[in-house]
């Protein structure tokens, strides 16, 4: 007997029918307009204004790549946008543009994009803000020199990563200010020769820390609690850091003790040359993901544990050559994935081989020497695995760790000038 009913379809036919319905049905709601007019607030004090973009994306296939356009009278800006399921907020700062936009468009939106809204808002005046109000942004903003126009202070500014709001970023004008915030933290939490020992600031005079920093809520709480226990004074920047940590609940005070909250804080500086700053920022943001996404963190730990013993030892020797404490397993795993993913797929193996070559010049390090001899493709293979885990758990592709990226500004080719 021939079968003509839907319940008689084969498994593969049912799957194809389901895909058809998911892609071409309206998902039970009317699709949002893909174009939104921007209000007049965008036309005044442009350098201190931003667009707050929000949407609700209902998608059966998860993440999706799209274009976002800002239209002006004669110019438009093009962005790469990664649509993430659920309700999302993004921020576009007008100081980065060479024109004033009148509308925002996502030209290839599908029916899953709903509740698309865009509002122009102004950054508060310096005298109106709370002591440590963070500017919300992402990697793309922090790599653009125009972002300096948004700073409310001359020597540093606090940012909040829009993708992971519990991750804060202190961006400084120079290395001196960066070190004033983080140098003692680096030696207390990461450096082998002083790990777990809090030193007076003068004891570290002339000592090198890092050009980028990252500290979890646990590390911050440990540092500040130890300073309190020892009654060791904090410098002015460390005191600011503690106030920020308490305000943002990275650190929680309870019964006289400082305990870890959630998230972490990163530090970078504009004194780093542009290419180096991009790599450093990617490295530190990868640590931010490690702190924020338990599934990714656990997957990296599992991958580390599955390395053959001499390969793990080789990585410990490599990171030890960079002054990290090899006895701290959490630190080793955290740095392992960040060094693998901070560079592009094409560059990463060569960068790591260069670091390894410098480490081997000092002699010793037998496991690293064996790794370079017996598994020359180890860096490339481990990067591929780490990148796969990052995509699986965050849908991000390092070193571009962002949902919204400005691609270009050009003469407008669209006649669109108002909302649908």
């Amino acid at each position: 007997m021939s079968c003509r009913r839907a319940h008689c379809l084969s498994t593969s036919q049912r799957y194809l029918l389901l895909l058809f319905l998911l892609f071409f049905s309206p998902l039970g709601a009317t699709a949002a307009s893909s174009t939104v007019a921007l209000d007049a607030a965008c036309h005044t004090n442009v350098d201190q204004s931003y667009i707050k973009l929000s949407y609700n994306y209902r998608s059966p296939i998860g993440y999706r790549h799209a274009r976002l356009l800002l239209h002006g009278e004669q110019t438009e800006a093009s962005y790469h946008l990664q649509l993430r399921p659920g309700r999302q907020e993004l921020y576009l700062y007008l100081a980065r543009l060479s024109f004033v936009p009148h509308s925002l468009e996502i030209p290839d939106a599908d029916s899953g994009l709903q509740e698309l809204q865009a509002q122009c808002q102004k950054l508060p005046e310096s005298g109106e803000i709370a002591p440590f109000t963070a500017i919300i942004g992402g990697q793309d903003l922090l790599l653009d020199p125009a972002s300096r126009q948004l700073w409310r202070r001359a020597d540093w500014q606090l940012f909040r990563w829009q993708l992971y709001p519990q991750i804060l970023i202190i961006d400084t004008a120079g290395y001196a200010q960066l070190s004033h915030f983080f140098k003692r933290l680096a030696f207390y939490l990461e450096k082998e020769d002083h790990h777990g020992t809090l030193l007076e600031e003068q004891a570290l005079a002339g000592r090198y820390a890092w050009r980028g920093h990252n500290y979890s809520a646990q590390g911050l709480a440990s540092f500040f609690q130890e300073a309190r226990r020892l009654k060791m004074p904090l410098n002015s920047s460390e005191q600011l850091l503690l106030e920020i940590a308490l305000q943002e609940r990275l650190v929680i005070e309870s019964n006289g003790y400082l305990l870890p909250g959630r998230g972490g804080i990163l530090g970078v500086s504009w004194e780093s040359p542009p290419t180096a700053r991009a790599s450093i920022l990617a490295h530190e943001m990868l640590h931010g993901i490690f702190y924020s996404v338990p599934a990714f963190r656990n997957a990296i730990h599992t991958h580390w544990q599955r390395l053959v013993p001499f390969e793990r030892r080789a990585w410990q020797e490599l990171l030890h050559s960079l002054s990290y404490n090899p006895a701290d397993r959490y630190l080793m795993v955290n740095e392992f994935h960040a060094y693998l993913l901070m560079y592009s797929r094409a560059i990463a193996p060569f960068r790591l081989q260069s670091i390894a070559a410098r480490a081997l010049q000092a002699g010793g390090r037998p496991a690293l020497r064996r790794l370079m001899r017996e598994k020359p493709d180890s860096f490339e293979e481990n990067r591929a695995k780490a990148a796969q885990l990052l995509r699986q758990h965050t849908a991000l592709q390092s070193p571009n760790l962002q949902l919204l990226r400005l691609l270009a500004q050009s003469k407008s080719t669209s006649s669109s000038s108002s909302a649908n």
Side-chain angles (χ1 to χ4, degrees), residues 210 283-284 286-287 315 318-319 322-324 331-343 348-349 351-352 355 383:
W210 314 113
H283 180 103
E284 306 309 339
L286 285 160
H287 290 306
W315 269 96
L318 179 69
L319 293 169
L322 298 172
S323 298
Y324 295 102
L331 178 64
M332 290 292 101
V333 177
N334 197 0
E335 296 299 336
F336 167 67
H337 91 276
Y339 274 97
L340 284 170
L341 294 174
M342 66 186 286
Y343 303 111
R351 293 279 191 175
L352 291 168
I355 295 171
R383 191 202 183 277

Side-chain angles (χ1 to χ4, degrees), residues 63-80:
Y63 303 91
R64 180 173 179 268
H65 297 281
R67 288 182 302 145
L68 184 149
L69 302 175
L70 289 180
H71 297 292
E73 292 301 326
Q74 297 181 330
T75 310
E76 69 179 21
S78 174
Y79 293 79
H80 172 267

Side-chain angles (χ1 to χ4, degrees), residues 81-123:
L81 170 65
Q82 185 183 81
L83 293 168
R84 300 185 72 145
R87 297 183 183 277
Q88 307 292 338
E89 290 184 354
L90 297 171
Y91 297 78
L92 297 84
Y93 291 90
L94 302 187
R96 307 184 64 204
L97 302 178
S98 61
F99 66 98
V100 177
H102 57 62
S103 63
L104 179 151
E105 179 186 9
I106 301 178
D108 45 0
D110 60 31
S111 61
L113 181 64
Q114 301 172 20
E115 303 173 44
L116 179 64
Q117 298 180 15
Q119 297 177 323
C120 284
Q121 300 184 4
K122 292 182 181 179
L123 290 169

